[in-house]
Structures are given as structure tokens and as C-alpha cells.
Amino acid sequence: MNAVIAASRAPSNASRWADTLEALCLRFDATAACIHTPRSTTADRSLFVAHGLPTHTVPDYVEYWSAKDPWMAGAADKEICVRSGECGIGRELCDWDALDKLDYFHEFAAPTGVKGLLALIVDDGTQPFVAPYTAIGLYRRPGLEEFSYQDKRVFESVHGPLQLALHAHWAFGRSTQAGQTSLALLDVVPKPLLVLSHTGEVLYANTAGTALLSRNDWAATQHGKLVRLGTLDADAVAASLRLVRQGLLQTHVLWKRGSDDAGASATARLVPLEESNACRLAWPTALALLMIDEPQEDHQARRLKQIAAQYRLTEAEMRVIAELVDGTRPAEFAQRHGISVHTVRTHLRNIFDKTGLRRQSDLIRLAGMPRS
């Protein structure tokens, strides 16, 4: 039970795998243990955690000896201990006489203090997206009794929770990676974007979305939940989210100018998120993406002010950015303002230094799409 409890905490805290191995060692009188993915071909899908093994031997095993492990080779040849939930004892997988003649034993296993083996296939890798091939090995020093068939039966009996913990470990990793990817994608969008749950909780707001909420004009939150959207109050927002749960796109006009300027309006779109959407991996309770289209002039003016304050840009540098966003080239800017192209390029270099960007296209993305 101690091993199972530690494993249940491993997905969110990888150090718990070491606690799991320590608990298994105590239960089975093992002197060392490891959980590893010996057949993993990609670094981001590999796992190696050890307990009781000399730390200097771990890189040697991962980089060299794992490919020459006679116990793993014996399992494959004899089709013992190859499928999820199957357990094998060292002498079943490789006879002692054969092991004693191998460089693996004399150069690695014996100096490391490894002879007896009890191995469990946590996952056989048949669904690599869920989990790669993963095994737990328990070891005893030379001179100790080998593991018994009773040990084997007991170890197999706890396979279920150990495999569940392993699957959760990789799912949590995918969720974290998807979250990082989603954050990066949402933050480069110049329009306000909010990720909402079915209760209206704001799970994430990109840079423009955070700025919009701080102004408290077209959208407002209370205790982290969206309670106002344009002319919609909390009840109307909740009703709209219920329609989104049915897979319906909801569009609301938040604000509109007079008939002489009918094109300048702000709208909000609640877009349902499919199960496969990266946002759902990053935020499992996400229901919809709220996208707000502000009047282009108003939005860009505010965006440029934010950039100027954030990066401490001068008025001259901001003029350069504003006209680049409009599609003006450096030479055209120089001619229009009666300055040299060299001066314009100096402004650009200063802007790049302050923002950390390197290309004009990145600068235009930062500032927003061209007004034209």
C-alpha cells in the first residue's frame, strides 16, 4: 500500500517514483530498484528513476548496458515477462551459468551489486501515445536468496495501480506540454482571448485579454468567473455558455457606434472547444474560447500604448512601429518624415534591443495586424 500511495502521487511529483521504489524494496527485501523505459527512442518519452543503485552506474546503464541487458533479451526470446502485468524472475529469463559468462554481469551487474532480479512490465508499449514500454526491476545483491514465485505473484497483484500511475504520469506531461504550447499560441494573438469553463470560470487570459479585463469596460469577472460581457449580465452569460455546451457558436455585439460609423463595433464570439483541442489538454475543464473583436483603431491605439509602456519606447520609436504596422517601409517612413533611412534603422535597432525581437515581422505581430 505504501508503494501504491506513493505511485498515485508520482504524476504530479516525479520524485514520488523514488518513494514508490523504496517502498517496493522494503516489501520484497530488495537492495535496489529502478523504473525505466529501455526501448524509448525519444528523450521526452524516457523515464529512469533508481533507488539503491550507485548513482555513477545509472548513466552507464542508460547509455550502454540497457541494450545488452540479458534479462531483457531473455524475456523477448522466451516470451516471458513481455506483456503488461507480466512478472519475471531473473533465473527464468537468463540462466545463472549463462549470466556468469557475460561482460554485462562482470563489468556492470556484479560491481553494481545486482544479481537476483524480479521484473514487472508496467506497460508493454502497445499504445505508445498512452505510455512507452516501461518496466520496474527489483534487485538483490549476490549472496542473497533469489526472488520466489510467491514474490512474483504478489508483485503482479499490484500491477493495476502502478500502470494507472504511469499513464497519469505521461498524461500529466502531455497536459503540461500542451499548456505551454497553448500559452505561446494564445499570447501571440493580438486580440483578447479567454479560455472559459462551463461555469464561466476564466481558466486563462492572454496578454490582450488580461488588459481588457483590467479595464472592466466590456467584460468583468468576480471571484475568477465571467459575470458581465458587454450588455450581458451573469445570468445571460451562463445561458450563452449552456448553448455553447450544445456545440453552438455564440456571437454577441458588445458595443456599436452610431449609424454613420456602423463598421466600428465590438463583438464577442464563444467558440466551443473540441475534445482534441490543445486547450482541452492544457485545461481539462475548458469549454469555450471567448474571442473579442474590438474596433481596430481603438484596439491598436491601446495596444501601442501598452507596448510603449512595457518596453519603455520613445515617441520616435513608437511612430516607427505604428507606421510599420500600417505597412509602411523604412524608406517610405524616412521620406515622409524628412529623415534619413539610417536614422530609421537606428530606431529599429533600438526597438529590437528593447523588445528582444530580431525581425520586422515579429514586431508587426507584437503590435497587431495592419489597420489597412
Side-chain angles (χ1 to χ4, degrees):
M1 285 305 299
N2 289 336
V4 169
I5 291 170
S8 70
R9 297 169 179 167
S12 59
N13 183 356
S15 68
R16 291 292 184 176
W17 285 120
D19 297 339
T20 302
L21 298 175
E22 182 179 10
L24 290 172
C25 284
L26 288 172
R27 168 60 183 82
F28 291 99
D29 294 323
T31 53
C34 72
I35 178 170
H36 63 135
T37 50
R39 301 177 188 174
S40 179
T41 57
T42 57
D44 63 340
R45 299 288 286 169
S46 63
L47 174 67
F48 192 104
V49 180
H51 171 75
L53 291 175
T55 54
H56 69 277
T57 65
V58 172
D60 288 344
Y61 183 84
V62 173
E63 296 172 12
Y64 182 75
W65 290 113
S66 62
K68 302 177 182 296
D69 189 326
W71 285 310
M72 289 294 174
D77 291 341
K78 300 175 183 180
E79 294 190 357
I80 301 173
C81 190
V82 292
R83 284 170 284 277
S84 297
E86 292 184 346
C87 193
I89 299 173
R91 62 177 177 273
E92 293 180 306
L93 308 177
C94 182
D95 293 332
W96 167 247
D97 290 339
L99 182 67
D100 190 40
K101 297 174 183 177
L102 297 174
D103 291 341
Y104 173 85
F105 179 72
H106 292 285
E107 295 183 23
F108 173 74
T112 305
V114 168
K115 179 183 176 183
L117 167 73
L118 183 63
L120 174 71
I121 306 305
V122 187
D123 198 279
D124 57 19
T126 52
Q127 295 179 288
F129 180 76
V130 177
Y133 180 93
T134 309
I136 292 179
L138 305 180
Y139 306 102
R140 284 178 179 168
R141 290 191 303 269
L144 298 178
E145 289 185 11
E146 289 203 61
F147 293 99
S148 67
Y149 285 102
Q150 175 64 17
D151 292 328
K152 176 179 174 178
R153 286 190 290 272
V154 173
F155 203 6
E156 287 178 338
S157 72
V158 294
H159 166 258
L162 293 178
Q163 186 185 47
L164 183 63
L166 178 70
H167 289 182
H169 168 88
W170 293 115
F172 186 83
R174 288 196 304 274
S175 174
T176 302
Q177 185 178 24
Q180 293 171 344
T181 302
S182 299
L183 293 179
L185 290 173
L186 295 179
D187 272 339
V188 299
V189 177
K191 296 179 181 180
L193 293 177
L194 310 178
V195 180
L196 301 178
S197 72
H198 71 279
T199 63
E201 180 186 2
V202 179
L203 302 173
Y204 181 75
N206 70 352
T207 304
T210 301
L212 177 75
L213 292 175
S214 68
R215 296 202 309 270
N216 203 37
D217 49 6
W218 297 340
T221 59
Q222 187 174 25
H223 305 303
K225 294 178 67 172
L226 190 68
V227 293
R228 183 169 59 80
L229 185 59
T231 58
L232 304 179
D233 59 14
D235 291 338
V237 170
S240 190
L241 286 170
R242 284 195 292 272
L243 291 174
V244 172
R245 293 186 74 174
Q246 300 173 19
L248 302 175
L249 173 68
Q250 296 294 299
T251 301
H252 302 286
V253 176
L254 304 180
W255 173 83
K256 195 169 185 176
R257 285 184 181 162
S259 57
D260 59 329
D261 198 5
S265 63
T267 57
R269 292 179 178 82
L270 281 165
V271 181
L273 293 171
E274 301 291 337
E275 287 286 343
S276 59
N277 191 286
C279 288
R280 293 292 294 272
L281 282 174
W283 301 282
T285 60
L287 170 71
L289 192 65
L290 173 62
M291 302 186 296
I292 297 178
D293 290 307
E294 300 178 87
Q296 188 66 24
E297 279 194 29
D298 291 353
H299 162 69
Q300 284 203 319
R302 278 196 293 267
R303 181 62 179 154
L304 290 173
K305 286 182 181 178
Q306 291 167 5
I307 293 169
Q310 182 176 355
Y311 298 105
R312 297 183 180 180
L313 300 176
T314 66
E315 290 185 12
E317 291 163 354
M318 288 308 304
R319 281 196 296 272
V320 172
I321 292 178
E323 296 203 22
L324 284 178
V325 170
D326 275 340
T328 303
R329 296 180 180 178
E332 294 171 338
F333 182 94
Q335 184 177 13
R336 183 179 301 168
H337 293 275
I339 59 177
S340 69
V341 175
H342 176 74
T343 300
V344 178
R345 299 204 181 281
T346 299
H347 287 320
L348 278 173
R349 279 197 301 273
N350 292 336
I351 293 168
F352 290 147
D353 288 342
K354 291 178 180 180
T355 60
L357 302 175
R358 289 293 175 265
R359 295 178 299 182
Q360 290 185 33
S361 57
D362 294 333
L363 190 60
I364 291 172
R365 260 197 303 275
L366 174 70
M369 299 303 291
R371 276 174 255 184
S372 57

